[in-house]
Coordinates of all heavy atoms in Angstrom, one line a residue:
M252 N 22.6 24.9 -2.8 CA 22.2 23.6 -2.5 C 20.7 23.4 -2.3 O 20.1 24.2 -1.6 CB 23.0 23.2 -1.2 CG 22.8 21.7 -0.9 SD 23.8 21.2 0.5 CE 23.6 19.4 0.4
T253 N 20.2 22.5 -3.0 CA 18.7 22.3 -2.9 C 18.4 21.3 -1.9 O 19.0 20.2 -1.8 CB 18.2 21.8 -4.3 OG1 18.7 22.6 -5.3 CG2 16.7 21.9 -4.3
E254 N 17.5 21.7 -1.0 CA 17.0 20.8 0.0 C 15.8 20.0 -0.4 O 14.9 20.6 -0.9 CB 16.7 21.7 1.3 CG 17.3 21.1 2.5 CD 17.0 22.0 3.7 OE1 17.8 22.9 3.9 OE2 16.0 21.7 4.4
R255 N 15.9 18.8 -0.2 CA 14.8 17.9 -0.6 C 13.8 17.8 0.5 O 14.1 17.6 1.6 CB 15.2 16.5 -1.0 CG 15.4 16.4 -2.5 CD 15.8 14.9 -2.8 NE 14.6 14.1 -2.8 CZ 14.7 12.8 -3.0 NH1 15.8 12.2 -3.3 NH2 13.6 12.0 -3.0
V256 N 12.5 18.0 0.1 CA 11.5 17.9 1.2 C 11.1 16.5 1.3 O 10.6 15.9 0.3 CB 10.3 18.8 0.8 CG1 9.2 18.7 1.8 CG2 10.7 20.3 0.6
E257 N 11.2 15.9 2.4 CA 10.8 14.5 2.6 C 9.4 14.4 3.0 O 8.8 15.3 3.6 CB 11.7 14.0 3.8 CG 13.1 14.0 3.5 CD 13.7 12.6 3.6 OE1 13.0 11.7 4.0 OE2 14.9 12.5 3.3
N258 N 8.8 13.4 2.5 CA 7.4 13.1 2.8 C 7.2 12.9 4.3 O 8.0 12.3 5.0 CB 6.9 11.9 2.1 CG 6.7 12.1 0.6 OD1 6.5 13.3 0.2 ND2 6.8 11.1 -0.2
N259 N 6.1 13.4 4.8 CA 5.8 13.1 6.2 C 5.1 11.7 6.2 O 4.0 11.5 5.7 CB 4.8 14.2 6.7 CG 4.4 14.0 8.1 OD1 4.4 12.9 8.6 ND2 4.2 15.1 8.8
K260 N 5.8 10.8 6.8 CA 5.4 9.4 6.7 C 4.1 9.2 7.5 O 3.2 8.4 7.1 CB 6.5 8.5 7.2 CG 7.6 8.4 6.2 CD 8.5 7.3 6.4 CE 9.6 7.2 5.3 NZ 10.6 6.2 5.5
A261 N 4.0 9.8 8.6 CA 2.8 9.6 9.4 C 1.6 10.1 8.6 O 0.5 9.5 8.6 CB 2.9 10.4 10.7
L262 N 1.7 11.2 7.9 CA 0.6 11.8 7.1 C 0.3 10.8 5.9 O -0.9 10.6 5.6 CB 1.1 13.1 6.6 CG -0.1 14.0 6.0 CD1 -1.0 14.4 7.1 CD2 0.5 15.2 5.3
D263 N 1.3 10.3 5.3 CA 1.1 9.4 4.2 C 0.3 8.1 4.7 O -0.5 7.6 3.9 CB 2.4 9.0 3.6 CG 3.0 10.1 2.8 OD1 2.2 11.0 2.4 OD2 4.2 10.1 2.5
Q264 N 0.6 7.7 5.8 CA -0.1 6.5 6.3 C -1.5 6.8 6.6 O -2.4 5.9 6.3 CB 0.6 6.0 7.6 CG 1.8 5.2 7.3 CD 2.6 4.8 8.6 OE1 2.2 5.1 9.7 NE2 3.8 4.2 8.4
Q265 N -1.8 8.0 7.0 CA -3.2 8.3 7.1 C -3.9 8.4 5.8 O -5.1 8.1 5.7 CB -3.3 9.7 7.9 CG -3.0 9.6 9.3 CD -3.0 10.9 10.0 OE1 -3.2 11.9 9.4 NE2 -2.7 10.9 11.3
R266 N -3.2 8.9 4.8 CA -3.8 9.1 3.5 C -4.1 7.8 2.8 O -5.0 7.7 2.0 CB -2.9 10.0 2.7 CG -3.5 11.3 2.4 CD -2.8 12.1 1.4 NE -1.3 11.9 1.4 CZ -0.5 12.9 1.2 NH1 -0.9 14.1 1.0 NH2 0.8 12.6 1.2
G267 N -3.2 6.9 3.0 CA -3.4 5.6 2.3 C -2.1 4.8 2.2 O -1.1 5.0 2.9
L268 N -2.2 3.8 1.4 CA -1.1 2.8 1.3 C 0.1 3.4 0.5 O -0.1 4.2 -0.4 CB -1.7 1.7 0.5 CG -1.0 0.3 0.7 CD1 -1.2 -0.1 2.2 CD2 -1.7 -0.7 -0.1
Q269 N 1.2 3.0 0.9 CA 2.4 3.3 0.2 C 3.5 2.2 0.2 O 3.4 1.3 1.1 CB 3.0 4.6 0.7 CG 3.6 4.5 2.1 CD 4.3 5.8 2.5 OE1 3.6 6.7 3.0 NE2 5.6 5.8 2.5
C270 N 4.4 2.2 -0.7 CA 5.4 1.2 -0.8 C 6.3 1.3 0.5 O 6.7 2.4 0.9 CB 6.3 1.4 -2.0 SG 7.7 0.3 -2.1
S271 N 6.5 0.1 1.1 CA 7.3 0.1 2.3 C 8.8 0.3 2.0 O 9.6 0.6 2.9 CB 7.1 -1.1 3.1 OG 7.3 -2.3 2.3
A272 N 9.2 0.0 0.8 CA 10.6 0.1 0.4 C 11.0 1.5 0.0 O 12.0 2.0 0.4 CB 10.8 -0.9 -0.7
C273 N 10.2 2.2 -0.8 CA 10.6 3.5 -1.4 C 9.6 4.6 -1.0 O 9.9 5.7 -1.3 CB 10.8 3.4 -2.9 SG 9.3 3.3 -3.8
G274 N 8.4 4.2 -0.5 CA 7.5 5.3 -0.1 C 6.5 5.7 -1.3 O 5.7 6.6 -1.1
H275 N 6.7 5.1 -2.4 CA 5.9 5.5 -3.6 C 4.4 5.1 -3.3 O 4.1 4.1 -2.6 CB 6.4 4.7 -4.8 CG 6.0 5.4 -6.1 ND1 6.5 6.6 -6.5 CD2 5.1 5.0 -7.1 CE1 6.0 6.9 -7.7 NE2 5.1 5.9 -8.0
Q276 N 3.5 5.9 -3.8 CA 2.1 5.7 -3.5 C 1.3 5.0 -4.6 O 0.1 4.8 -4.5 CB 1.5 7.0 -3.1 CG 2.0 7.4 -1.7 CD 1.3 8.6 -1.2 OE1 0.9 9.5 -1.9 NE2 1.1 8.7 0.1
R277 N 1.9 4.9 -5.8 CA 1.2 4.2 -6.9 C 1.5 2.7 -6.8 O 2.6 2.2 -7.2 CB 1.7 4.7 -8.2 CG 1.5 6.2 -8.4 CD 0.0 6.5 -8.7 NE -0.3 7.9 -8.8 CZ -1.4 8.5 -8.6 NH1 -2.5 7.7 -8.3 NH2 -1.6 9.7 -8.7
L278 N 0.6 2.0 -6.3 CA 0.7 0.5 -6.2 C -0.3 -0.2 -7.0 O -1.5 0.0 -6.9 CB 0.5 0.1 -4.7 CG 1.5 0.8 -3.7 CD1 1.1 0.4 -2.3 CD2 2.9 0.4 -4.0
R279 N 0.2 -1.0 -7.9 CA -0.6 -1.8 -8.8 C -1.1 -3.0 -8.1 O -0.3 -3.7 -7.5 CB 0.2 -2.2 -10.0 CG -0.6 -2.7 -11.2 CD 0.3 -2.7 -12.4 NE 1.4 -3.6 -12.3 CZ 1.5 -4.8 -12.8 NH1 0.5 -5.3 -13.4 NH2 2.6 -5.6 -12.6
V280 N -2.4 -3.3 -8.2 CA -2.9 -4.5 -7.6 C -2.8 -5.6 -8.5 O -3.2 -5.6 -9.7 CB -4.4 -4.3 -7.2 CG1 -5.0 -5.6 -6.7 CG2 -4.6 -3.2 -6.2
I281 N -2.0 -6.6 -8.1 CA -1.8 -7.8 -8.9 C -3.0 -8.8 -8.8 O -3.5 -9.2 -9.8 CB -0.5 -8.5 -8.5 CG1 0.7 -7.6 -8.6 CG2 -0.3 -9.8 -9.3 CD1 1.9 -8.2 -7.9
Y282 N -3.4 -9.0 -7.6 CA -4.7 -9.8 -7.4 C -5.3 -9.5 -6.1 O -4.7 -9.0 -5.2 CB -4.4 -11.3 -7.7 CG -3.7 -12.0 -6.6 CD1 -4.2 -12.3 -5.3 CD2 -2.4 -12.5 -6.8 CE1 -3.6 -12.9 -4.3 CE2 -1.7 -13.1 -5.8 CZ -2.3 -13.4 -4.6 OH -1.6 -14.0 -3.6
T283 N -6.6 -9.8 -6.1 CA -7.4 -9.7 -4.9 C -8.1 -11.0 -4.6 O -8.6 -11.6 -5.6 CB -8.5 -8.6 -5.0 OG1 -7.8 -7.4 -5.4 CG2 -9.3 -8.4 -3.8
R284 N -8.1 -11.5 -3.4 CA -8.8 -12.7 -3.1 C -9.4 -12.7 -1.7 O -8.9 -12.0 -0.8 CB -7.9 -13.9 -3.3 CG -6.8 -14.0 -2.3 CD -5.9 -15.2 -2.6 NE -6.6 -16.5 -2.3 CZ -6.0 -17.7 -2.6 NH1 -4.8 -17.7 -3.1 NH2 -6.7 -18.8 -2.3
A285 N -10.5 -13.4 -1.6 CA -11.1 -13.4 -0.3 C -10.4 -14.3 0.7 O -9.8 -15.4 0.3 CB -12.6 -13.9 -0.5
A286 N -10.3 -13.9 1.9 CA -9.7 -14.7 3.0 C -10.7 -14.9 4.1 O -11.8 -14.5 4.0 CB -8.4 -14.0 3.5
K287 N -10.3 -15.6 5.1 CA -11.2 -15.9 6.3 C -11.6 -14.6 7.0 O -10.9 -13.6 7.0 CB -10.5 -16.8 7.3 CG -10.3 -18.2 6.7 CD -9.6 -19.0 7.8 CE -9.3 -20.4 7.3 NZ -8.6 -21.2 8.2
G288 N -12.8 -14.7 7.6 CA -13.3 -13.5 8.4 C -13.6 -12.3 7.5 O -13.3 -11.2 8.0
S289 N -14.2 -12.5 6.4 CA -14.6 -11.5 5.5 C -13.4 -10.4 5.2 O -13.6 -9.2 5.3 CB -15.8 -10.7 6.0 OG -15.6 -10.0 7.2
K290 N -12.2 -11.0 5.1 CA -11.1 -10.1 4.8 C -10.7 -10.3 3.3 O -11.0 -11.4 2.7 CB -9.9 -10.5 5.6 CG -10.0 -10.1 7.0 CD -8.8 -10.5 7.8 CE -9.0 -10.1 9.3 NZ -7.9 -10.7 10.1
L291 N -10.1 -9.3 2.8 CA -9.6 -9.4 1.4 C -8.1 -9.3 1.4 O -7.5 -8.5 2.1 CB -10.1 -8.2 0.6 CG -11.6 -8.2 0.2 CD1 -11.9 -7.0 -0.5 CD2 -12.0 -9.4 -0.6
V292 N -7.5 -10.2 0.7 CA -6.0 -10.2 0.6 C -5.7 -9.6 -0.7 O -6.2 -10.0 -1.8 CB -5.4 -11.6 0.7 CG1 -3.9 -11.6 0.5 CG2 -5.7 -12.3 2.0
R293 N -4.9 -8.6 -0.7 CA -4.5 -7.9 -2.0 C -3.0 -8.0 -2.1 O -2.2 -7.7 -1.2 CB -4.9 -6.4 -2.0 CG -6.4 -6.3 -2.1 CD -6.7 -5.1 -3.0 NE -8.1 -5.2 -3.4 CZ -9.1 -4.4 -2.9 NH1 -8.8 -3.5 -2.0 NH2 -10.3 -4.6 -3.4
R294 N -2.6 -8.4 -3.3 CA -1.1 -8.4 -3.6 C -0.9 -7.2 -4.5 O -1.5 -7.0 -5.5 CB -0.8 -9.7 -4.3 CG 0.6 -10.0 -4.4 CD 1.0 -10.9 -3.3 NE 2.4 -11.4 -3.5 CZ 3.4 -11.1 -2.7 NH1 3.3 -10.3 -1.7 NH2 4.6 -11.5 -3.0
R295 N 0.1 -6.4 -4.1 CA 0.3 -5.2 -4.8 C 1.8 -5.1 -5.2 O 2.7 -5.6 -4.5 CB 0.0 -3.9 -3.9 CG -1.5 -3.9 -3.6 CD -1.7 -2.8 -2.5 NE -3.0 -2.8 -2.0 CZ -4.0 -2.1 -2.4 NH1 -3.8 -1.2 -3.4 NH2 -5.2 -2.2 -1.9
E296 N 2.0 -4.4 -6.3 CA 3.4 -4.2 -6.7 C 3.6 -2.7 -6.9 O 2.8 -2.0 -7.5 CB 3.6 -4.9 -8.1 CG 5.0 -4.8 -8.6 CD 5.1 -5.6 -9.9 OE1 4.5 -5.1 -10.9 OE2 5.8 -6.6 -9.9
C297 N 4.7 -2.2 -6.4 CA 5.1 -0.8 -6.5 C 5.5 -0.5 -7.9 O 6.2 -1.2 -8.5 CB 6.3 -0.5 -5.5 SG 6.9 1.2 -5.7
R298 N 4.9 0.6 -8.4 CA 5.2 1.0 -9.8 C 6.5 1.7 -9.9 O 7.1 1.9 -11.0 CB 4.1 2.0 -10.3 CG 2.8 1.3 -10.6 CD 1.9 2.2 -11.2 NE 0.6 1.5 -11.6 CZ -0.3 2.0 -12.3 NH1 -0.2 3.3 -12.8 NH2 -1.4 1.4 -12.6
N299 N 7.1 2.1 -8.8 CA 8.4 2.8 -8.8 C 9.5 1.8 -8.7 O 10.4 1.8 -9.5 CB 8.4 3.8 -7.7 CG 9.6 4.7 -7.7 OD1 10.0 5.2 -8.8 ND2 10.3 4.8 -6.6
C300 N 9.5 0.9 -7.7 CA 10.7 0.1 -7.5 C 10.4 -1.4 -7.7 O 11.3 -2.2 -7.7 CB 11.2 0.3 -6.1 SG 10.2 -0.4 -4.7
G301 N 9.1 -1.8 -7.8 CA 8.7 -3.1 -8.1 C 8.6 -4.0 -6.9 O 8.4 -5.2 -7.0
A302 N 8.7 -3.4 -5.7 CA 8.6 -4.2 -4.5 C 7.1 -4.7 -4.4 O 6.2 -4.0 -4.8 CB 8.9 -3.4 -3.2
R303 N 7.0 -5.9 -3.8 CA 5.6 -6.5 -3.7 C 5.2 -6.5 -2.3 O 6.0 -6.8 -1.4 CB 5.6 -7.9 -4.3 CG 5.8 -7.8 -5.8 CD 5.5 -9.1 -6.5 NE 5.6 -8.8 -7.9 CZ 5.5 -9.8 -8.8 NH1 5.2 -11.0 -8.4 NH2 5.5 -9.5 -10.1
I304 N 4.0 -6.1 -2.1 CA 3.4 -5.9 -0.7 C 2.1 -6.7 -0.7 O 1.3 -6.7 -1.6 CB 3.1 -4.4 -0.4 CG1 4.3 -3.6 -0.7 CG2 2.6 -4.3 1.0 CD1 4.0 -2.1 -0.8
T305 N 1.9 -7.4 0.4 CA 0.6 -8.0 0.6 C -0.2 -7.3 1.7 O 0.4 -7.0 2.7 CB 0.8 -9.5 1.1 OG1 1.6 -10.1 0.1 CG2 -0.6 -10.2 1.1
T306 N -1.4 -6.9 1.4 CA -2.3 -6.2 2.4 C -3.5 -7.0 2.7 O -4.0 -7.8 1.8 CB -2.7 -4.8 1.9 OG1 -3.4 -4.9 0.7 CG2 -1.4 -4.0 1.7
W307 N -4.0 -6.9 3.9 CA -5.3 -7.5 4.3 C -6.3 -6.4 4.5 O -6.0 -5.5 5.3 CB -5.1 -8.3 5.5 CG -4.4 -9.6 5.3 CD1 -5.0 -10.8 5.1 CD2 -3.0 -9.9 5.3 NE1 -4.1 -11.8 4.9 CE2 -2.8 -11.2 5.0 CE3 -1.9 -9.1 5.4 CZ2 -1.6 -11.8 4.9 CZ3 -0.6 -9.6 5.3 CH2 -0.5 -11.0 5.0
E308 N -7.4 -6.5 3.9 CA -8.4 -5.5 4.1 C -9.7 -6.1 4.6 O -10.1 -7.1 4.2 CB -8.7 -4.8 2.8 CG -7.5 -4.0 2.2 CD -7.8 -3.4 0.9 OE1 -8.9 -3.3 0.5 OE2 -6.8 -3.0 0.2
R309 N -10.2 -5.4 5.6 CA -11.5 -5.9 6.1 C -12.7 -5.2 5.5 O -12.6 -4.0 5.3 CB -11.6 -5.7 7.6 CG -11.1 -6.8 8.4 CD -11.2 -6.6 9.9 NE -12.6 -6.5 10.3 CZ -13.0 -6.3 11.5 NH1 -12.1 -6.3 12.5 NH2 -14.3 -6.2 11.8
T310 N -13.7 -6.0 5.2 CA -14.9 -5.4 4.6 C -15.5 -4.5 5.6 O -15.7 -4.9 6.8 CB -15.8 -6.5 4.2 OG1 -15.2 -7.4 3.4 CG2 -17.0 -5.9 3.4
A311 N -15.8 -3.3 5.2 CA -16.4 -2.3 6.2 C -17.9 -2.8 6.4 O -18.6 -3.2 5.5 CB -16.4 -0.9 5.6
G312 N -18.3 -2.6 7.6 CA -19.7 -3.0 7.9 C -19.9 -3.4 9.3 O -19.1 -3.2 10.2
C313 N -20.9 -4.2 9.5 CA -21.3 -4.6 10.9 C -20.3 -5.7 11.3 O -19.8 -6.5 10.5 CB -22.7 -5.2 11.0 SG -23.9 -3.9 10.5
E314 N -20.1 -5.8 12.6 CA -19.2 -6.8 13.2 C -20.0 -8.2 13.2 O -21.1 -8.2 13.6 CB -18.8 -6.5 14.6 CG -17.9 -5.2 14.6 CD -16.4 -5.6 14.5 OE1 -16.1 -6.7 14.9 OE2 -15.7 -4.9 13.9
Ligands
LIG69 ZN1 8.6 1.1 -4.1

């Protein structure tokens, strides 16, 4: 019987973004747009299961 090694989710979150539905890490960016407070809104689609995720990113820099 083969044992499947599960991803360490905490580690994956530190490494970067992943699909919340299946855990896949290849997410295609559908669009990026500016939002209030120098934030970026990114719409992403999982290449594995097709789930769509919206992320908000803050521009790095001075407060
Ligand atoms: Zn997925």
Side-chain angles (χ1 to χ4, degrees):
M252 189 175 186
T253 313
E254 226 176 276
R255 264 185 75 182
V256 180
E257 299 237 356
N258 287 335
N259 184 325
K260 288 194 175 171
L262 193 68
D263 285 341
Q264 279 172 5
Q265 286 177 358
R266 245 191 327 218
L268 205 61
Q269 68 179 79
C270 174
S271 57
C273 73
H275 202 69
Q276 291 185 324
R277 300 282 176 204
L278 301 175
R279 190 164 65 97
V280 176
I281 301 170
Y282 71 72
T283 304
R284 65 184 291 177
K287 289 181 185 176
S289 67
K290 287 178 183 172
L291 290 176
V292 176
R293 288 217 165 107
R294 195 93 169 113
R295 296 170 190 267
E296 186 180 67
C297 176
R298 288 189 175 187
N299 185 48
C300 74
R303 294 192 173 178
I304 308 164
T305 305
T306 58
W307 285 266
E308 296 177 15
R309 269 183 62 176
T310 309
C313 300
E314 293 273 328

